[in-house]
Every structure is written in C-alpha cells, then in structure tokens.
Amino acid sequence: MTHDLALTTVVGNPKRLSRTLTTAEALAAAIGAGVGTEPRTTSIDLAELYLDGIEPPHGGFEHAVGQIRAGRVLVVGTPVYKASYTGLLKLFLDQLPPHALEGVVAVPVTVAASAEHRLLADLHLRPVLAELGASLPVPSLTLRESELPDLPEHLRVWAEAHTPALEAALAFGRKTVGAAA
Amino acid sequence: MTHDLALTTVVGNPKRLSRTLTTAEALAAAIGAGVGTEPRTTSIDLAELYLDGIEPPHGGFEHAVGQIRAGRVLVVGTPVYKASYTGLLKLFLDQLPPHALEGVVAVPVTVAASAEHRLLADLHLRPVLAELGASLPVPSLTLRESELPDLPEHLRVWAEAHTPALEAALAFGRKTVGAAA
Amino acid sequence: MTHDLALTTVVGNPKRLSRTLTTAEALAAAIGAGVGTEPRTTSIDLAELYLDGIEPPHGGFEHAVGQIRAGRVLVVGTPVYKASYTGLLKLFLDQLPPHALEGVVAVPVTVAASAEHRLLADLHLRPVLAELGASLPVPSLTLRESELPDLPEHLRVWAEAHTPALEAALAFGRKTVGAAA
Amino acid sequence: MTHDLALTTVVGNPKRLSRTLTTAEALAAAIGAGVGTEPRTTSIDLAELYLDGIEPPHGGFEHAVGQIRAGRVLVVGTPVYKASYTGLLKLFLDQLPPHALEGVVAVPVTVAASAEHRLLADLHLRPVLAELGASLPVPSLTLRESELPDLPEHLRVWAEAHTPALEAALAFGRKTVGAAA
C-alpha cells in the first residue's frame, strides 16, 4: 500500500527563483520524507505567476488553484517585508475562493532580515490561512536570513519536533492509493 | 479498551461563575462526547483563583497547573474585553512556565458583546497559546452574547465540523488505559 | 496667507474605479475641508498602476512615490479581503523604500462586507504604515459596505471627532505658502 | 505663562519596583523635559495596586483612574511576557470605563528579553489603548533588556525623533494655567 501524499509549495517572494522558494521547497521535501510516503511535490512561484499583471493570463491562476487543491499539504513561503508577509502572497490568497484551503494542512515558512521581524509575518499570516479554511496543526518555520546557510540543521530540528503531529493531522482523512487492491 | 481523555477548562472572566465559564464547560463536554471516550473534565475559574491577590495562596496556582498538565485538551474561555482577551486570563498564562502547554491541544472559546469584536480575542490569544507550546489544530468557537441562548446548536455545528480533526490530533500520542491488559 | 495642504489617496482595491476609491477620495476631501485650507488632492488607483504587472512600466511607480512624498496626508483605502487588507495594497507598500512615509500623516479607511471583519484590516495595516514611518494620530475610518449609502453622515461624524487632532498633527512642521510675501 | 503638563505612568510588571517601572518613569521624565514645561508626574505600579486581589480595596482603583484622568500624557510600561503585554496591565485596562483614555496621549514602552519578542507587546497593546480612546501620535519605545544599561542614550534618541510630534499633539487642547491673568 502506498500513501499518495501530494505537497504543494507556494511562495510570495516578488523576486523569481528566490531563496525563499528554495527554502520552502526544502521544507516540503523534509515533510514528505518525514511522513514516510512517496510524496509528489509541485511548486508555485508567484513572481512567475504575476509576471504579466495582477490578473494572470492563460489560465495560470486556475492551474495554480488546481495544484493546491490536489495537495494535502501546502507549504506557504514568504519573506518578511514591511513587518508582515508580502503583498504578492496576499494578492494570490485574496483571489482564492472562500474556503479554498479546507482539507489542506498549511505550514508557513518565513524568512526575515532581522531578529526583531522574525515572528511578524507568521503572526499575521496564520489568521489569513485559517480564514481560508486551512488547518494549521504545527508551528511555522521562522528563519532569519543569517540562518539559511544552516538550513538542513534547522529543517532537521523542526521536522523532529513536528513531524509526529503533522502525521496525525494528515492521517485524518488521508486518501490511500491502492487500498482497494 | 477505554480511552482515558482528560479535558481541562480554564476561564478568564473576572466575574465568578460567569456565562463564559458555563459556555466553556459546555464546549469541553461536547468535545469529550464527540471523541467517543469516557472523558474526565475539570474546570478552573480564574476569578476564584485570583480572588485574594495576583499571587494565589495555598498552592492554588500549582494545583491549577497540575490539572492542565494532566489533561490532553485545554478549553480556554474568555470574554472579549477592550478588543482582546481578558487581562485575568493572560495573568494566569504569564505565570505558566515556558512550554507549559506542550502536548496539550488547546481550543479557545470567546464571547463578545458586539459582532465587530467577535474575532479579536481569538486573533490575539492563539499566538500566546502557541508561544506556550500548545497545539491548535481546529478553529476556535467565537460567539456573540446574543448567540448564547442557542449554544447547543452552535456547539453541534462546531463539533460536526471540527471533531474529526480534533480526534486525529488527539490520536497522536494518546495514552490508552488498559492497553497492557 | 494660504495653507498649501497636499493630500494623496492610495487605494488597494484590485477592481479599478472601486467604491473603496470613491470612499477614500471622499474622506480626503472631508479632511481637506476640515482643516480649512485650499487642499490639493491626487489619487492613486493601484488597480491601474499594476494593470500590466507587478513591476509597473513607464515610471508609474516612481510617479506614485513622488505624489505621496509631495503630500502631508496620505489616505490609505482598502477593502477587507480574507480577514485583512488587500495584497495589492501591501504589494505597493512593499515596494516603497524604508521610511518612505516619514513626515506623512496617514489615515486608513477600510470597507468590510461583514461586521465581524470591520476592524481586521485596520488592525494589521496600522503597524505596516508605522513601520514605514507614517504618523497615525487619529483612528481609522472603518466602514461596512452596508454603511456606504450613508457615507456623508459617517464622514461628518468622523471629521467632527478627529479633525482637531489631525489639525494639530499637521500644524507640526507644516510649510506655509506665501509666508514670505 | 506656565504650561501645566501632568504625566502619569502606569506599569504592568507583576514584580513591584521593577526595571520596567524605572524605565517608564525615565521616559515620562524625558517627555516632560522635552516639551519644555513644568511637568508633574505620578506613577502607578500595578503590582502594588493588585497586591491584595483583582478588586483593589480602599478605593485604590478609583484613585489610579483619577491620576490618569488628571494627566495629558500616559506612559504605559510593560515587559514582554508570553509574546505580548502582561496580563496584569490588561487586567487594569479591562477595568477602565469605556473611552477612559479619550483626550490622553499614550506612549507605550516595552522591555523584552529577546530581540524576536521586541515588537510583540507593542503590536498588541496599541489597538487596546486605541479602543480606550487614547491618541497614539508617536512610535513606542521598545527596548531589549540588554539595552537598559544604555537607557539614557536610547531616551535621547527617542526624544530627539519624537518630541516635536508629541508637542504638536499636546498643543491641541492643552489647558494653559494663568492664561487669564
């Protein structure tokens, strides 16, 4: 029997291919590995999605929503800008239909330039994700830029502390592939 | 095999025997019933605990901490005062040792006089409970005073929506009584 | 002697020519009238500015920053989306240089669909504006959509309560035109 | 002509005669000196006020409210406890009548153990003070414990940046003593 866990990463750094993106993807990979499944991961770089305007052309937005809906876990990455999450991330969340994240386990990851700002994006982001219906069973990963060179160690500590609770949350309602076989 | 689920209720209404207290106790009972166990519930009325001063005498504080630590679920009740949770509730949370709520699933319940203030106590309370290490897997129950006469119906709707996720969170790490028999 | 007060309005509704825009412009006009000057007002509709991408072409962003810097008062309008201010507004604020609003008196105006959400955008927006260096001497105007038909009355009540404090804040450092004549 | 400026300090550290208290009193003194008046300052140590219970006996609460009402400036001091202001401070604010701080210019001062928590108490406290009707025209003084040995320098920098705006806010509605003479 194979657990078919789909993880989606969405990142609101207005710079394409940002360190926030690679950090969020690394967290998604660590979660996938931690819950002992064969995870399938996809990644949405909002700097790409909104390159040509706040109304993405060519069905790009609908495609992104489909990716999120296909996943059980959504890793939401943002740098801390002006004492909160980025506007680019919120622009995308604003366009989601109500309750779009119901049934989705969300895990925020934030990257701040200064210690003072380390907790601010998370503090404001979690109520927004909750408003969209996401489940937030574990603490966010909040990093300072100066900690990024030690990312593997930070991921290891975070995963050790929070994978069991995450696994429990995911066990609830998980669709198993091949169960009928 | 019997699931031995202990639920604790702590309420920060400065008026003893408040409607917030009975509301929080009703939520604890609904959760206990919902997860299909033989729940044991205890209740801490902070207006009682702090009756004689902000340093409760006679080991009252240590007794309350023991009750919380013995429980898997902590229902945290507060009216909305001055656009947030009450100072009395925070006074108690301030006195808890760091990480005091690790391993505890917390469910806030707030009661507001006006619709405008309905979400405010919850918005500020959840980060405080998270700071103490609590797991917050489900949305809070946020009520207006005018909704209290229909409390059973509000509890039913809340429990129907959130008991499965709560059960999953509790399954993780639950100690079973009689498992060795 | 003429007081030359410049007011700028910036609105983060992703729909062009929104009711949020007309509401914010009406507030700017009321403030201008209230402080007894000959106000000059300009208005930035972010739905226009970001029509072609999150990096506005043709110097549009620099032009907007110049308008804000030329003003003493900045009326900041946003609908309440997903329990906070809009991402479009924050996208613009993110792109401002640090301390860009120093010396600017900011007055937020928010429009919410429901009473429960009436205070949420303001609660999160004020710290962001403060981070940018803005002075926030008076309470925001927070409206529900259902109150918009009575906007003149709401403006009158707000202006009566807060114009004196606003005038005092503006008196500090106001440049007078024609003083040398 | 003498400007009769009354400043009140209220401090929510549950430890009597705390460093938060001396810090807040030093800020009040710096503000008094900065606005060039003959300030009269009084100080309320909430650890004293609530020594015997959350309902202070002997009219202590009414006396404290009278002191606040007699002042134009209220310096509000709190350590950062559990990621926010203290419950003791909020306990006092909860007991104030609605709009109790109307006409009062409030200046928060917070002291945090860690850089990560430096901004958190302020972020949550300002909306509470605003709800009570206070005017908050200038940024708070947010300090880390490790910065307290350099308090005079921090006060100097803060006062240099914010005294002019504070003075403008106080000029509005200031009662002058001896004006009729």
Side-chain angles (χ1 to χ4, degrees):
Chain A
M1 198 178 79
T2 305
H3 288 122
D4 174 27
L5 182 69
L7 301 102
T8 311
T9 299
V10 63
V11 170
N13 192 315
K15 203 171 51 180
R16 278 184 286 173
L17 302 173
S18 62
R19 286 189 299 176
T20 319
L21 179 70
T22 51
T23 303
E25 289 177 339
L27 176 59
I31 292 171
V35 299
T37 61
E38 295 179 15
R40 292 173 298 111
T41 62
T42 51
S43 184
I44 304 165
D45 190 346
L46 296 178
E48 292 271 6
L49 187 61
Y50 291 98
L51 195 61
D52 298 318
I54 60 174
E55 301 279 356
H58 313 307
F61 178 76
E62 293 69 23
H63 183 67
V65 173
Q67 286 177 306
I68 288 175
R69 286 221 157 120
R72 281 300 317 282
V73 175
L74 181 67
V75 173
V76 183
T78 182
V80 183
Y81 273 20
K82 307 291 191 252
S84 190
Y85 51 75
T86 64
L88 181 60
L89 175 60
K90 183 66 165 38
L91 177 67
F92 176 71
L93 297 175
D94 285 351
Q95 294 177 347
L96 293 177
H99 311 292
L101 299 186
E102 259 170 27
V104 171
V105 169
V107 183
V109 49
T110 69
V111 180
S114 75
E116 275 81 357
H117 284 191
R118 190 164 73 84
L119 301 174
L120 298 183
D122 186 54
L123 193 68
H124 288 157
L125 180 56
R126 293 176 76 91
V128 172
L129 297 172
E131 170 73 18
L132 281 159
S135 172
L136 292 145
V138 292
S140 305
L141 177 62
T142 58
L143 296 163
R144 292 164 56 188
E145 283 175 13
S146 60
E147 294 174 325
L148 291 183
D150 302 317
L151 181 60
E153 175 62 10
H154 289 288
L155 287 174
R156 198 191 57 72
V157 171
W158 186 93
E160 199 170 295
H162 304 302
T163 298
L166 205 51
E167 201 161 15
L170 289 168
F172 155 62
R174 176 149 54 183
K175 296 148 205 118
T176 44
V177 171
Chain B
M1 198 178 76
T2 305
H3 289 123
D4 174 28
L5 182 69
L7 300 103
T8 311
T9 299
V10 62
V11 170
N13 192 316
K15 203 171 52 179
R16 278 185 286 172
L17 303 173
S18 62
R19 286 189 301 176
T20 318
L21 180 70
T22 51
T23 302
E25 289 176 338
L27 176 59
I31 292 171
V35 299
T37 61
E38 295 179 15
R40 293 172 296 110
T41 63
T42 52
S43 186
I44 303 166
D45 190 346
L46 296 177
E48 291 272 6
L49 186 62
Y50 290 99
L51 195 60
D52 298 319
I54 61 174
E55 301 280 353
H58 312 308
F61 178 76
E62 292 69 22
H63 184 68
V65 173
Q67 286 178 305
I68 288 174
R69 287 221 157 122
R72 282 301 316 283
V73 175
L74 181 67
V75 173
V76 183
T78 182
V80 182
Y81 273 20
K82 308 290 192 256
S84 191
Y85 51 75
T86 65
L88 182 59
L89 174 60
K90 184 65 166 35
L91 178 65
F92 176 72
L93 298 175
D94 284 351
Q95 295 176 346
L96 293 177
H99 311 294
L101 299 186
E102 258 169 27
V104 171
V105 169
V107 183
V109 49
T110 68
V111 180
S114 75
E116 274 82 356
H117 284 189
R118 190 164 74 83
L119 301 173
L120 298 184
D122 186 54
L123 193 67
H124 288 156
L125 180 55
R126 293 175 77 91
V128 173
L129 296 172
E131 171 73 19
L132 281 158
S135 172
L136 293 145
V138 292
S140 306
L141 177 62
T142 58
L143 296 164
R144 292 164 56 186
E145 284 176 13
S146 60
E147 294 174 326
L148 292 183
D150 302 318
L151 182 60
E153 176 62 10
H154 289 288
L155 288 174
R156 197 190 58 72
V157 170
W158 186 93
E160 199 170 296
H162 304 302
T163 298
L166 205 50
E167 202 161 13
L170 289 167
F172 155 60
R174 174 150 55 184
K175 297 148 206 120
T176 45
V177 171
Chain C
M1 198 178 77
T2 306
H3 288 122
D4 174 28
L5 183 69
L7 300 103
T8 311
T9 299
V10 61
V11 170
N13 192 314
K15 203 170 52 180
R16 278 184 286 172
L17 302 174
S18 62
R19 285 190 300 176
T20 318
L21 179 70
T22 50
T23 303
E25 288 176 339
L27 176 59
I31 291 171
V35 298
T37 60
E38 294 179 16
R40 292 173 296 110
T41 64
T42 52
S43 184
I44 304 165
D45 189 346
L46 296 177
E48 292 272 5
L49 186 63
Y50 291 99
L51 195 61
D52 298 317
I54 61 174
E55 302 279 355
H58 312 308
F61 177 76
E62 291 69 23
H63 183 68
V65 172
Q67 285 178 306
I68 289 175
R69 287 220 156 124
R72 281 300 317 280
V73 176
L74 181 67
V75 173
V76 184
T78 181
V80 183
Y81 273 21
K82 308 292 192 251
S84 190
Y85 51 75
T86 65
L88 181 59
L89 174 60
K90 183 67 166 35
L91 178 65
F92 176 71
L93 298 176
D94 285 351
Q95 295 176 346
L96 293 178
H99 311 293
L101 299 186
E102 260 169 28
V104 171
V105 168
V107 183
V109 49
T110 69
V111 180
S114 75
E116 274 82 357
H117 283 191
R118 190 164 72 85
L119 302 173
L120 298 184
D122 185 54
L123 194 68
H124 288 157
L125 180 56
R126 292 175 77 90
V128 172
L129 296 173
E131 171 73 18
L132 281 158
S135 171
L136 293 143
V138 293
S140 305
L141 177 62
T142 60
L143 297 163
R144 293 163 56 187
E145 284 177 12
S146 60
E147 294 173 327
L148 292 183
D150 302 317
L151 181 60
E153 176 62 10
H154 290 287
L155 288 175
R156 197 190 57 73
V157 170
W158 186 93
E160 198 170 298
H162 304 302
T163 299
L166 205 51
E167 201 162 13
L170 288 168
F172 155 61
R174 175 149 55 184
K175 297 147 205 122
T176 44
V177 171
Chain D
M1 198 178 78
T2 305
H3 288 122
D4 174 28
L5 182 69
L7 299 104
T8 311
T9 299
V10 62
V11 170
N13 192 315
K15 202 171 53 179
R16 277 183 287 172
L17 302 174
S18 62
R19 285 189 300 175
T20 319
L21 179 69
T22 49
T23 303
E25 288 176 339
L27 177 59
I31 292 171
V35 298
T37 61
E38 295 180 16
R40 291 172 298 111
T41 63
T42 53
S43 184
I44 304 166
D45 189 346
L46 296 177
E48 292 272 5
L49 186 63
Y50 291 98
L51 196 61
D52 298 318
I54 60 175
E55 301 280 354
H58 312 308
F61 177 76
E62 291 71 20
H63 183 68
V65 173
Q67 286 177 306
I68 288 174
R69 286 219 158 123
R72 282 300 315 282
V73 176
L74 181 67
V75 173
V76 183
T78 181
V80 182
Y81 273 21
K82 308 291 192 249
S84 191
Y85 51 74
T86 65
L88 181 59
L89 174 60
K90 184 67 165 36
L91 178 65
F92 176 71
L93 298 176
D94 285 351
Q95 295 176 347
L96 293 178
H99 312 294
L101 299 186
E102 259 168 28
V104 171
V105 168
V107 183
V109 50
T110 68
V111 180
S114 74
E116 274 82 356
H117 283 191
R118 190 164 73 85
L119 301 174
L120 298 183
D122 185 54
L123 194 67
H124 288 156
L125 179 56
R126 292 176 76 91
V128 172
L129 297 172
E131 171 72 19
L132 281 158
S135 172
L136 292 144
V138 292
S140 305
L141 178 62
T142 60
L143 296 163
R144 294 164 56 188
E145 284 177 11
S146 61
E147 294 173 327
L148 291 183
D150 302 318
L151 181 60
E153 176 62 9
H154 289 288
L155 288 174
R156 197 189 60 72
V157 171
W158 186 93
E160 199 170 297
H162 304 303
T163 298
L166 205 50
E167 201 161 14
L170 289 167
F172 154 62
R174 175 150 55 182
K175 297 149 206 121
T176 44
V177 171

